Amino acid sequence: KRLKQVTARVYHNVAFYKDSFVRAGVSPDNLRSLDDLRRFPFTTKKDLLANYPFGLFAAPMSNVVRLQASSGTTGRSTVVGYTKQDIEIWAELVARCLVAADITKNDIIHNAYGYGLFTGGLGLHYGAERLGASVIPMAGGNTKRQLMILQDFGPTVICCTPSYALNLAEQGRAMHIDMRSLKLRVGIFGAEPWSRQMRDEIEQVFAIKAMNIYGLSEIMGPGVAMECSEGREGMHIYEDHFLVETIDPETGEVLPPGELGELVFTTLSKEAFPLIRYRTRDISRLNTTPCRCGRTFCRMERIMGRSDDMLIIRGVNVFPSQ
């Protein structure tokens, strides 16, 4: 039902999608099952940039309450918009992520993701407030002040990129701070790829449980998928709001669960900036086996690489060709 609604909405409200569907010989009326989605064309980053800044919005600007943008380095950013309902759903999904990490309203959350146009800071912030936790909106940088706040305010949760967590630890050692003596117990890390070895190092240095969160600005921001504390074997994708496929990046053919491929997302509930079959260029595999935690959403493995040559450094997209 949601898939039918979103395809009809973009077909009638977004010229790009109407033209794209017509060229592919499909219309929203062709959707009779979820499997029919594979007949619809992909949306790519190039399409987003070609329609910069607001060409893909499906809601009038009078209904858009926030504008944010991706943190790319190739000139123009990808601009995303949110209605009031989009913001509320986003907060709800990030709150779900925090609950999956055993975080409660009794926690104090040190949020060192970047605020501003980058979706990480405000995304985590609204989710933490929805949960009822106390939020310290630190943003990135000013590492010595961050360390002072970590000691003085006693947060129990830290949210930042994994590379910045290790930077904090390095600066802390230089200032003779025992990072294991802080009150931190959980870390929510994302916005860049990180290895199991990096997780082990962060957990050792801070004496915390390090959790993996996944999202991308185009789809929503943080909160698309999240590990649960039961075994941490992949991130649960919130399938009531995001329909996920894996495809062969060369042929575009849809792959069965368990096979390594490029992640493709369709947003099912977004009003301002819905996307149909958006190619993320992120390589992973889907796991549909039941999880010990009881959640029934499928899980995605950590990102194995990219189907293009982009690197993500401190949350910023960088292309080697530059």
Side-chain angles (χ1 to χ4, degrees):
K1 185 179 175 183
R2 285 186 174 181
L3 182 59
K4 284 181 175 180
Q5 288 173 341
V6 72
T7 50
R9 191 159 75 252
V10 299
Y11 183 78
H12 292 296
N13 293 304
V14 183
F16 162 79
Y17 276 114
K18 185 162 190 175
D19 295 344
S20 174
F21 289 5
V22 167
R23 280 198 306 274
V26 294
S27 80
D29 296 333
N30 296 129
L31 275 172
R32 295 182 180 87
S33 72
L34 292 179
D35 204 45
D36 290 331
L37 184 62
R38 67 180 63 207
R39 297 172 55 195
F40 283 71
F42 295 112
T43 310
T44 66
K45 186 86 164 202
K46 283 183 180 176
D47 297 326
L48 271 55
L49 295 175
N51 288 277
Y52 174 92
F54 309 136
L56 291 185
F57 282 18
M61 197 54 78
S62 57
N63 290 352
V64 174
V65 298
R66 190 191 299 171
L67 294 168
Q68 295 197 244
S70 68
S71 48
T73 57
T74 53
R76 287 175 169 168
S77 299
T78 303
V79 179
V80 293
Y82 303 85
T83 64
K84 187 171 185 290
Q85 180 177 295
D86 291 337
I87 296 287
E88 288 173 358
I89 289 173
W90 189 12
E92 183 71 24
L93 292 180
V94 175
R96 278 188 200 176
C97 293
L98 299 176
V99 169
D102 295 332
I103 296 165
T104 72
K105 66 178 183 179
N106 298 317
D107 282 294
I108 301 173
I109 298 176
H110 182 102
N111 187 9
Y113 281 114
Y115 282 68
L117 288 175
F118 176 58
T119 54
L122 284 167
L124 259 296
H125 186 110
Y126 273 59
E129 286 190 348
R130 172 63 62 90
L131 183 63
S134 308
V135 194
I136 306 168
M138 275 305 303
N142 205 342
T143 303
K144 288 185 177 177
R145 186 151 192 252
Q146 300 248 11
L147 290 164
M148 183 184 78
I149 296 292
L150 285 168
Q151 291 177 96
D152 295 351
F153 288 19
T156 51
V157 179
I158 186 166
C159 303
C160 62
T161 61
S163 57
Y164 190 62
L166 291 175
N167 182 265
L168 279 168
E170 191 178 335
Q171 292 279 336
R173 276 195 296 269
M175 295 167 65
H176 307 293
I177 298 169
D178 178 8
M179 304 305 285
R180 296 173 65 88
S181 70
L182 300 173
K183 291 185 179 178
L184 294 174
R185 62 180 191 84
V186 178
I188 307 291
F189 303 109
E192 64 190 15
W194 55 308
S195 63
R196 293 182 190 279
Q197 290 82 357
M198 225 169 153
R199 189 205 303 261
D200 292 344
E201 186 179 353
I202 289 169
E203 292 191 331
Q204 169 66 28
V205 167
F206 287 92
I208 61 173
K209 181 178 270 192
M211 306 287 287
N212 202 356
I213 192 170
Y214 176 79
L216 56 167
S217 300
E218 300 94 315
I219 299 301
M220 185 181 70
V224 173
M226 177 71 191
E227 281 183 322
C228 63
S229 55
E230 292 285 328
R232 297 183 292 177
E233 294 296 327
M235 292 171 277
H236 292 279
I237 297 169
Y238 295 119
E239 293 180 281
D240 49 342
H241 294 280
F242 310 105
L243 197 159
V244 63
E245 305 166 273
T246 41
I247 64 165
D248 181 317
E250 298 298 323
T251 66
E253 178 192 353
V254 177
L255 302 173
E259 288 199 28
L260 198 64
E262 180 184 334
L263 294 175
V264 173
F265 281 97
T266 297
T267 62
L268 296 176
S269 57
K270 281 182 71 177
E271 291 183 333
F273 191 69
L275 289 176
I276 308 299
R277 303 197 80 199
Y278 180 69
R279 293 189 60 163
T280 66
R281 300 293 181 183
D282 287 334
I283 300 296
S284 181
R285 63 165 59 90
L286 301 178
N287 179 358
T288 56
T289 58
C291 181
R292 290 184 300 201
C293 72
R295 289 174 180 83
T296 55
F297 296 127
C298 81
R299 287 169 285 163
M300 56 177 274
E301 291 187 6
R302 65 175 56 239
I303 301 301
M304 317 276 183
R306 301 275 304 174
S307 63
D308 55 20
D309 64 348
M310 187 180 80
L311 303 171
I312 305 178
I313 301 171
R314 286 186 62 195
V316 176
N317 301 346
V318 178
F319 292 82
S321 56
Q322 295 174 287

